[in-house]
Amino acid sequence: VQLQASGGGLVQAGRSLRLSCAASGRTFSNYYMGWFRQAPGKEREFVAAISWSGSSTSYADSVKGRFTISRDNAKNTVYLEMNSLKPEDTAVYYCAARLSRYQRDDKSWNYWGQGTLVTVSS
């Protein structure tokens, strides 16, 4: 499956941004979807994941209550709604896909998008 992330940009702290990730090439609903991020000088970290049907979601503690992951299987797209953004949310955000249930270890995910940069100014 091919993944194309979009929606990043420069935003002030406290504002919102929505990322999208469009998938192609395989049956989208067969894949568990996730978002990861990598800040400058840091390792890539788990942000959120959503199950095949969208009935189950998981979040990193740092974004819980502020970010929402969702998916539209008819549009082959997964979203990450980011609210109350903080400067520490600044990172390149990646979408990822895997066939089996998610794990927070990024090395276990099979497919990756190219990343979209989110910059939060204070």
Side-chain angles (χ1 to χ4, degrees):
V1 62
Q2 291 79 46
L3 304 174
Q4 180 76 32
S6 61
L10 174 63
V11 63
Q12 288 184 326
R15 304 297 292 268
S16 299
L17 204 60
R18 188 175 81 156
L19 305 183
S20 300
C21 176
S24 62
R26 291 287 189 271
T27 303
F28 180 66
S29 58
N30 287 347
Y31 291 87
Y32 220 102
M33 299 300 297
W35 287 96
F36 290 76
R37 67 185 182 186
Q38 187 168 20
K42 295 187 177 181
E43 294 186 350
R44 189 160 54 187
E45 64 176 1
F46 170 80
V47 175
I50 188 166
S51 62
W52 307 273
S53 66
S55 60
S56 177
T57 57
S58 300
Y59 297 93
D61 288 343
S62 59
V63 306
K64 198 172 295 183
R66 299 189 297 123
F67 290 13
T68 302
I69 188 172
S70 61
R71 67 189 293 163
D72 185 338
N73 286 346
K75 295 183 177 180
N76 292 347
T77 303
V78 62
Y79 305 98
L80 185 68
E81 183 75 32
M82 306 184 293
N83 299 319
S84 303
L85 282 162
K86 304 175 182 180
E88 50 263 44
D89 294 320
T90 295
V92 176
Y93 283 72
Y94 299 89
C95 59
R98 56 182 286 150
L99 289 170
S100 56
R101 189 180 182 279
Y102 92 104
Q103 294 185 21
R104 299 197 175 201
D105 177 8
D106 64 336
K107 297 177 179 60
S108 68
W109 290 71
N110 307 108
Y111 305 97
W112 291 88
Q114 85 289 0
T116 185
L117 176 63
V118 173
T119 304
V120 184
S121 62
S122 57

